[in-house]
Amino acid sequence: MALTRATNRGCLYQVLQSYNSLLPRTLSTTQCCVKSHMDTVGKAKYEMTGHWIKNEKIQRPISPHLTIWKWQLPMNTSLMHRITGCAMTTALYVFGYTICLLPGDYITYLTMVKDWSLGPALITSAKFILAYPLAYHAINGARHLGWDTGKGFDLGTIYKTGWFAFIGAAVIAAVATQL
């Protein structure tokens, strides 16, 4: 019983004291625990130093970096989902606060943009740039909802739905630009 309680407290001195070990009774429990901890820290530091020296000798990179990974579709879909979500959130807040802070109303600024006569190619491109993240995030979000049901985790389905998310978003954005 005493051994169980001492082990739960995590102090080597108390565990050994339970067995009437050779540790002197003059050492306090705190001193022994600190000494034991410092021995462990010293050993770990020594092992880590050896690890880093070995890695420097063989010129191993500090950690795996993007340059050593082969880019695959699941990696791209995950990254794109995060980027589109963050970009749309940022754009929403910036646009919303800007409209609230500027004088006039929304119609005034729409009229001002129309007066610039930017041309259909630039307007269509801007519409596509605005529509693609929304379409992609919606399609990929539906894909994630499908995963929440526990379906679609085999590699073939992951690739098919990934390509569908990229291509489907482009088609939806292209159609939306023509409206």
Side-chain angles (χ1 to χ4, degrees):
M1 183 70 163
L3 179 61
T4 306
R5 279 188 305 220
T7 307
N8 288 341
R9 282 189 227 124
C11 181
L12 179 63
Y13 178 78
Q14 290 173 345
V15 172
L16 294 175
Q17 187 113 38
S18 299
Y19 278 23
N20 294 323
S21 72
L22 300 173
L23 284 175
R25 301 229 182 242
T26 55
L27 281 177
S28 74
T29 304
T30 307
Q31 288 173 330
C32 186
C33 287
V34 168
K35 182 180 183 314
S36 173
H37 176 71
M38 293 308 289
D39 289 344
T40 304
V41 169
K43 184 178 177 187
K45 187 174 181 180
Y46 174 77
E47 288 176 1
M48 285 303 296
T49 303
H51 171 76
W52 289 114
I53 290 171
K54 179 188 76 164
N55 284 343
E56 285 177 5
K57 283 181 184 175
I58 61 175
Q59 297 178 345
R60 182 179 289 163
I62 292 176
S63 65
H65 196 263
L66 297 176
T67 58
I68 67 169
W69 292 103
K70 180 183 175 196
W71 283 84
Q72 298 176 356
L73 186 67
M75 191 183 211
N76 288 330
T77 57
S78 175
L79 185 63
M80 189 69 160
H81 191 74
R82 294 163 198 246
I83 289 171
T84 57
C86 290
M88 287 188 305
T89 302
T90 302
L92 179 70
Y93 279 108
V94 168
F95 180 74
Y97 284 127
T98 303
I99 287 297
C100 288
L101 295 174
L102 290 175
D105 60 349
Y106 180 74
I107 302 298
T108 308
Y109 296 104
L110 254 179
T111 306
M112 184 173 61
V113 170
K114 284 182 182 178
D115 290 342
W116 289 344
S117 300
L118 296 174
L122 192 58
I123 295 293
T124 303
S125 300
K127 284 181 179 180
F128 185 84
I129 289 169
L130 292 173
Y132 185 81
L134 182 64
Y136 177 80
H137 202 77
I139 292 172
N140 204 45
R143 182 176 176 231
H144 278 268
L145 287 174
W147 287 348
D148 288 344
T149 65
K151 294 182 168 71
F153 284 115
D154 58 292
L155 201 55
T157 305
I158 288 174
Y159 272 85
K160 286 176 190 172
T161 58
W163 281 116
F164 178 77
F166 278 116
I167 295 168
V171 169
I172 290 172
V175 169
T177 58
Q178 303 307 314
L179 298 177

